[in-house]
């Protein structure tokens, strides 16, 4: 476990209490960490930026240490306060005296537990903060890189922005962000991306309000680039959610053509309207699935279809470290992914593109889904993704790995429907 960051040095009782309550919401009530923290800070506006930083560092510190804490606790279910104490003491964040002032007798119990535990008993999976079954899978498929991958997923993600080229060039957006003191640099792989060295209150900044930039991981930008959307085309974003990739596709299309945002979750789709408006996009239309009549009339009518499938999100642990605590039914997920891909493929015209993508690092959700699809659909061929995006890796698929590419973890396959089908 890495030494604590210097941001976490002056922890007060208010920070400690907040972190303990938030961990209960995240671990025990299964709330998403970013959502729980966001609500908390909105309800506790008296907390300044530094206080927020301390609370966030405590919560994320525990979540990035979760497998080790669980192992040290043994079969005994421990409270989140106990986890917090063990984390603070064992990482040297607080000494026993300081911890006692914050946590009372729980500090003594934590010290006793730590003294009784032999670190040599930790397995590699726990040391790298990965559930055992996923660790085994990564060892098989990533070999010695499994540890590098796990460690990269245990670090904080950078703040990436996508520049909306409909409104500003990357150079212009960068200059304006620089004037605001945000010190952007260009992302190495995406021609649309800027990276900030630290978090910023972006929502009140003019470049965001005016739709010049949108927060989006560089890897997500690369998935949208893989679609190679062109002005005038008809494109469907089959699992559009709140439209992160829809907006990127619309900008690539220069707001010309037809762009359909499809999803089964009306609540997520409902956010696209205002986001598209801010981005200056008028070509986006939304449709809640399943809509059999619509799907039937649209058969074979799209130049390209993007399937950004629901998945285990193992590639996003930098941003969502709590996900490693959740049980995942990989069999059910793979079935769902196969069903969605088969349904989306019907929309692709002869000669058109079908892009299957996930933010998963598990073969069952990625290569296996594509292999199954190709085996059942002779009319589609896998195209080499590196002809569109070259990240220096071999093989027909786009595989983005945090330790190699500095992005979230992603997988994508680009398939072409044959002209004669
Ligand atoms: C990975 S998220 C999409 C994220 C989104 N593309 C973005 O860039 O922000 C997966 C989405 O798939 C949607 N979904 C789940 N089952 C679906 C189905 N059968 N058909 C279409 N969308 C589905 C979920 O509601 C969720 O919004």
């Amino acid at each position: 476990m890495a030494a604590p960051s210097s941001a976490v040095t002056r922890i007060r009782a208010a920070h400690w209490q907040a972190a303990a309550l938030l961990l209960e919401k995240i671990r025990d009530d299964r709330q998403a960490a970013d959502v729980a923290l966001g609500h908390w800070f909105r309800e506790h506006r008296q907390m300044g930026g530094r206080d927020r930083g301390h609370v966030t560092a405590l919560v994320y510190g525990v979540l990035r240490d979760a497998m080790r804490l669980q192992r040290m606790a043994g079969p005994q279910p421990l409270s989140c306060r106990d986890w917090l104490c063990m984390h603070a003491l064992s990482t040297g964040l607080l000494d026993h005296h300081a911890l006692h002032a914050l946590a009372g007798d729980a500090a003594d119990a934590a010290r006793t537990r730590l003294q009784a535990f032999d670190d040599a008993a930790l397995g590699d999976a726990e040391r790298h903060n990965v559930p055992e079954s996923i660790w085994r899978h990564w060892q098989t498929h990533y070999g010695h890189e499994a540890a590098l991958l796990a460690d990269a997923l245990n670090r904080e993600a950078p703040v990436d922005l996508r520049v909306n080229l409909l409104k500003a060039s990357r150079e212009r957006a960068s200059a304006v962000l620089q004037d605001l003191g945000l010190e952007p640099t260009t992302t190495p792989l995406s021609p649309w991306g800027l990276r900030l060295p630290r978090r910023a209150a972006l929502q009140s900044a003019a470049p965001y309000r005016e739709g010049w930039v949108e927060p989006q991981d560089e890897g997500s930008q690369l998935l949208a680039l893989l679609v190679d959307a062109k002005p005038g085309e008809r494109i469907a974003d089959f699992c559009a959610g709140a439209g992160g990739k829809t907006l990127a596709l619309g900008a690539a299309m220069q707001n010309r053509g037809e762009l359909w945002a499809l999803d089964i979750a009306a609540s997520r789709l409902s956010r696209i309207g205002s986001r598209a408006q801010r981005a200056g996009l008028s070509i986006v239309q939304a449709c809640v699935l399943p809509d059999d009549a619509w799907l039937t009339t649209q058969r074979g009518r799209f130049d390209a279809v993007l399937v950004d499938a629901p998945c285990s999100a193992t590639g996003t642990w930098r941003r969502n470290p709590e996900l490693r605590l959740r049980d995942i039914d990989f069999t059910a997920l793979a079935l769902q992914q196969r069903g969605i891909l088969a349904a989306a493929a019907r929309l692709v015209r002869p000669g058109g593109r079908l892009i299957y993508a996930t933010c998963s690092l598990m073969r069952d959700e990625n290569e296996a889904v594509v292999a199954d699809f190709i085996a059942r659909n002779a009319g589609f061929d896998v195209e080499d993704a590196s002809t569109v995006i070259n990240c220096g890796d071999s093989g027909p698929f786009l595989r983005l790995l945090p330790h190699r590419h500095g992005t979230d973890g992603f997988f994508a396959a680009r398939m072409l429907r044959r002209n004669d089908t």
Side-chain angles (χ1 to χ4, degrees):
M1 182 65 206
S5 87
S6 58
V8 192
T9 45
R10 301 197 60 79
I11 298 159
R12 289 190 288 106
H15 307 142
W16 189 262
Q17 301 302 344
L21 286 168
L22 280 162
L23 282 165
E24 279 165 20
K25 289 178 193 291
I26 296 161
R27 192 193 74 171
D28 302 339
D29 303 343
R30 302 173 63 83
Q31 286 189 18
D34 55 350
V35 173
L37 280 152
H39 279 156
W40 181 271
F41 294 140
R42 272 194 296 282
E43 284 168 7
H44 298 82
R45 290 192 186 273
Q46 75 281 8
M47 282 196 158
R50 204 164 285 183
D51 297 321
R52 291 170 183 223
H54 287 320
V55 174
T56 305
L58 280 171
V59 168
Y60 278 76
V62 167
L63 295 172
R64 294 194 170 113
D65 194 15
M67 297 299 131
R68 193 180 71 105
L69 296 171
Q70 206 160 40
R71 175 76 167 85
M72 289 194 301
Q76 215 180 348
L78 286 190
S79 71
C80 290
R81 281 166 205 274
D82 290 324
W83 271 26
L84 200 47
C85 288
M86 292 192 322
H87 170 72
L89 207 52
S90 64
T91 57
L93 187 61
L94 296 169
D95 62 20
H96 180 257
H97 179 74
L99 181 61
H100 201 275
L102 289 168
D105 291 347
D108 301 335
R111 183 168 63 179
T112 307
R113 267 187 212 103
L114 289 177
Q115 283 168 347
F117 186 76
D118 178 3
D119 256 13
L122 281 175
D124 283 343
E126 291 148 346
R127 218 179 285 283
H128 291 290
N129 200 25
V130 180
E132 185 63 40
S133 59
I134 294 181
W135 176 251
R136 269 189 265 115
H137 179 95
W138 286 357
Q139 280 201 306
T140 306
H141 296 294
Y142 299 111
H144 74 279
E145 285 193 50
L148 299 174
L149 173 62
D151 292 349
L153 285 167
N154 243 0
R155 286 196 279 274
E156 198 175 336
V159 182
D160 288 353
L161 308 176
R162 180 181 53 78
V163 177
N164 177 8
L165 298 186
L166 275 182
K167 296 233 175 179
S169 66
R170 181 157 75 160
E171 292 68 31
R172 180 91 183 94
S174 178
V176 172
L177 292 168
Q178 185 65 39
D179 288 346
L180 292 171
L182 298 180
E183 301 174 40
T185 52
T186 53
T187 49
L189 299 170
S190 165
W192 299 333
L194 290 174
R195 182 161 290 164
L196 306 183
R198 68 194 84 85
R199 307 216 158 273
L202 203 66
Q203 305 224 331
S204 55
Y208 172 80
R209 282 191 281 107
E210 288 165 20
W212 288 24
V213 294
E214 187 71 39
Q216 188 170 44
D217 182 80
E218 186 183 22
S220 279
Q221 297 177 34
L222 294 173
L223 296 194
L225 276 159
L226 188 62
V227 177
D228 194 19
K230 297 179 191 71
E233 288 192 319
R234 284 193 98 224
I235 297 200
D237 186 358
F238 203 82
C239 298
K245 293 180 191 69
T246 313
L247 299 185
L249 294 171
M253 295 166 73
Q254 297 172 19
N255 199 31
R256 298 204 320 262
E258 268 183 58
L259 177 54
W260 284 84
L262 314 171
D263 203 288
I264 55 166
S267 59
R268 292 201 184 117
L269 282 181
S270 69
R271 291 188 47 212
I272 293 185
S274 58
R275 294 180 81 189
Q277 197 173 16
R278 188 162 45 78
L281 287 174
S282 55
I283 59 168
V284 180
Q285 306 181 66
C287 176
V288 181
L289 298 177
D291 183 332
D292 293 333
W294 186 87
L295 287 169
T296 306
T297 59
Q298 300 300 322
R299 212 180 168 107
R301 293 195 52 213
F302 282 85
D303 298 297
V305 177
L306 169 64
V307 179
D308 185 18
C311 69
S312 62
T314 32
T316 70
W317 284 357
R318 299 186 307 178
R319 296 171 203 283
N320 310 301
E322 75 282 6
L323 291 182
R324 47 168 69 71
L325 293 169
R326 313 287 190 237
D327 290 331
I328 302 167
D329 184 342
F330 285 106
T331 310
L333 265 180
L335 264 179
Q336 188 188 13
Q337 289 154 346
R338 287 167 197 221
I340 293 174
L341 183 56
R346 293 191 204 110
L347 298 179
V348 181
R349 69 164 169 80
R353 292 103 66 199
L354 174 63
I355 286 82
Y356 174 76
T358 72
C359 52
S360 165
L361 293 164
M362 308 296 284
R363 295 214 165 207
D364 289 355
E365 300 178 76
N366 297 335
E367 288 87 343
V369 172
V370 174
D372 177 78
F373 174 80
I374 292 293
R376 292 167 195 266
N377 293 274
F380 283 84
D381 295 312
V382 173
E383 213 194 3
D384 190 341
S386 69
T387 58
V388 182
I389 293 175
N390 194 343
C391 294
D393 298 321
S394 58
F397 303 124
L398 177 67
R399 293 192 186 93
L400 296 172
L401 298 168
H403 64 289
R404 282 201 206 167
H405 303 101
T407 61
D408 283 348
F410 285 103
F411 168 87
R414 194 177 138 102
M415 292 165 274
L416 283 191
R417 183 170 166 197
R418 290 189 195 148
N419 272 316
D420 55 1
T421 57

